[in-house]
Amino acid sequence: MPLVIDNNTRSWESFDVQTASTLYWKALPVLVKQNDREEQTNELTVRILSGVNRNNHNSRILRIHLSSDEDLFFLHTLEVSEEEFQSLKIEQGILVDFGNFPGKVITLLQKCILAQTEDPPRFQAVLSATGSDSVFKIVETNDFNQLPHITLAFRPGNDIAVKQFLAFRLSEVKLSNEHLTADLNMTMGDRDSTQLKLEDTVEQLAESREMHERTLLEQQAHSKTKDAIALEEKTKELAQLKSTLDQERDRLETKYRAQLDALTTRGGDLDTENRQLRSLKYELDSKVSELSHKLGTVEGNCRSMEEELSRLQNQNVQLGKSKSEREVEANELRARLRSADEKVLAQKDHIAEQHQRCKDLEASSRQLEERCNELKESAAGHEVRAKEAAAEVLKGNRIIEKVSNDLRMAKEKARRKQAIIGRQEEELAARERTLDSMTREQASSSRQVNHLQEDNKALKDEISSLKSKLEECKTQLQSNEQMIRWLNNQVNEAQLQFGGTGSRYSFKPAALRGPATVSGGSMGIPAGPSR
């Protein structure tokens, strides 16, 4: 670890205090460990300064002070140059450079301050003082152990170092005091000038108040005179307006009474027409429901016919497949029949050869009988050969009979299969005819459904037109009802305002409200003023 301030005073002489900048200056809870005292947590002031060497401005120096406001002689100092930081970086495995090192240390100090609310604190600053050396560590406590993030070797301050530090702090305090004194003098000067301005302003305010009171008295007298004149004029105008209002009220009473009678008659006619339209609507609704039911029935029949058609189409496809299979079997039977015919022809040839051999044998037997007397010794051998030939003939006859029977059975099977194929073809033709008839029926049903759908569409259009007419009638009826309510409101307002001076149909003239006319449909009723 790099050594810091020695017992001599060269470090203070080499560090340029005047150009140094303070990077961090806050109070921090530090756990202090000393050999002759118990461990205790003290509030220490941590100050980090960044400056340069007084003799070499290219050499940067980082200085850290640990001091206490309660004990002025408590001082621990660390001074690290840029060259010494390289050995510290290698020794503790620091990953940042010299420029970023103060920022990382400040971040750890902030974490120590924030962790004081935890019990136990996760981050803790620890200062271990042993004789002439002290070690400052920032450790992180977890469930397993305490992990030190940074370990720095400080030097406890001796008398000279403490005096120099106190002198440095005194010079800072004096400089700060001079600045504060200058600020105070400037503030007091501003206060005196402001006080003079305030006195001038108070005098101007008093003069303005006197002028305002005089002007106010003049204005009050003038306004009273104007109010008296205006009141007299208003009384005359009110008398004229009252006479005009009585005339206008009588005229409007007659006019709106006639309009009210016409609206009452029109309302009765509209009620009658509304009832007729409702009855017509109910009839149309019943007709629509009946047509909807018929349409549902026709659609159900159409769906059933479509299902039958699909079933017949599937059956036709299956019959086509069966027909193709039958044709394949018939072709196989024809091939087998041709092969059987060929076998029969071969057997016939063989039989013809056997017959020829039989004739030859008969001729030879006759010759043998003629020579029987001469060749009795060889007769036995010839008889054996004759017997063998006869056995072969019998065997050939049996083979011929068997082939003939097989041929008859094959022909019978072919006839039966041809008959079955003929019946299946007839049945297939009948089903095709049935399918054609059902297709025609489906086409006619589709035409009927289309016709019914067109009728239904026409009925729906007629219903929609009737509904639109009904909505128009309702809108007109609502407009008339609104006009009647508005007239009633106007009559009631006129009664409330002029109930003691005229008829119960008294009405406020339109000239006082502002002209406005609302269209009353086809009757041309003037609407009241907008409210």
Side-chain angles (χ1 to χ4, degrees), residues 301-351:
N301 294 331
C302 183
R303 283 195 295 273
S304 62
M305 287 181 181
E306 288 176 355
E307 292 174 357
E308 183 67 20
L309 176 62
S310 62
R311 186 180 65 80
L312 290 174
Q313 287 176 352
N314 294 329
Q315 191 173 3
N316 187 13
V317 172
Q318 293 176 0
L319 289 174
K321 292 180 179 178
S322 177
K323 180 180 177 183
S324 61
E325 292 176 357
R326 299 295 182 185
E327 288 177 355
V328 171
E329 291 179 358
N331 293 328
E332 291 178 355
L333 289 173
R334 290 192 186 97
R336 290 175 63 185
L337 184 61
R338 284 195 298 271
S339 63
D341 291 337
E342 292 175 356
K343 288 181 180 179
V344 168
L345 293 174
Q347 292 292 334
K348 285 182 179 180
D349 294 336
H350 184 67
I351 289 168

Side-chain angles (χ1 to χ4, degrees), residues 397-408:
N397 291 330
R398 289 194 202 97
I399 292 170
I400 291 168
E401 289 177 357
K402 184 177 181 181
V403 171
S404 299
N405 293 329
D406 293 336
L407 183 59
R408 283 195 301 272

Side-chain angles (χ1 to χ4, degrees), residues 117-226:
T117 57
E118 302 174 0
D119 188 20
R122 183 180 176 185
F123 288 90
Q124 178 72 51
V126 180
L127 178 64
S128 301
T130 57
S132 61
D133 293 325
S134 61
V135 177
F136 180 76
K137 295 188 295 184
I138 298 177
V139 298
E140 181 182 358
T141 306
N142 53 29
D143 296 335
F144 179 69
N145 61 357
Q146 288 185 343
L147 178 65
H149 283 276
I150 188 69
T151 302
L152 300 175
F154 278 68
R155 174 73 67 183
N158 53 17
D159 293 338
I160 298 175
V162 170
K163 288 178 181 179
Q164 290 176 346
F165 178 73
L166 291 176
F168 168 65
R169 289 289 296 120
L170 181 60
S171 63
E172 285 185 337
V173 170
K174 285 182 178 180
L175 184 60
S176 177
N177 190 16
E178 290 176 357
H179 290 304
L180 290 174
T181 303
D183 293 339
L184 179 60
N185 294 329
M186 186 180 297
T187 305
M188 291 177 67
D190 294 339
R191 185 201 62 183
D192 294 336
S193 62
T194 305
Q195 189 172 2
L196 294 175
K197 290 180 181 179
L198 181 60
E199 291 176 355
D200 295 338
T201 306
V202 168
E203 292 177 359
Q204 293 177 3
L205 180 61
E207 294 176 357
S208 298
R209 281 181 179 176
E210 285 185 18
M211 187 179 294
H212 175 69
E213 289 176 357
R214 287 195 301 268
T215 306
L216 184 61
L217 291 174
E218 293 175 359
Q219 291 291 335
Q220 287 178 355
H222 184 64
S223 63
K224 285 180 180 179
T225 306
K226 288 178 68 177

Side-chain angles (χ1 to χ4, degrees), residues 289-307:
S289 61
E290 182 180 357
L291 290 173
S292 299
H293 179 68
K294 289 182 179 180
L295 180 61
T297 306
V298 171
E299 288 177 352
N301 294 331
C302 183
R303 283 195 295 273
S304 62
M305 287 181 181
E306 288 176 355
E307 292 174 357

Side-chain angles (χ1 to χ4, degrees), residues 231-243:
L231 181 61
E232 186 178 356
E233 293 178 354
K234 191 173 183 181
T235 304
K236 293 179 181 179
E237 186 180 356
L238 185 60
Q240 293 176 0
L241 287 175
K242 188 175 181 181
S243 61

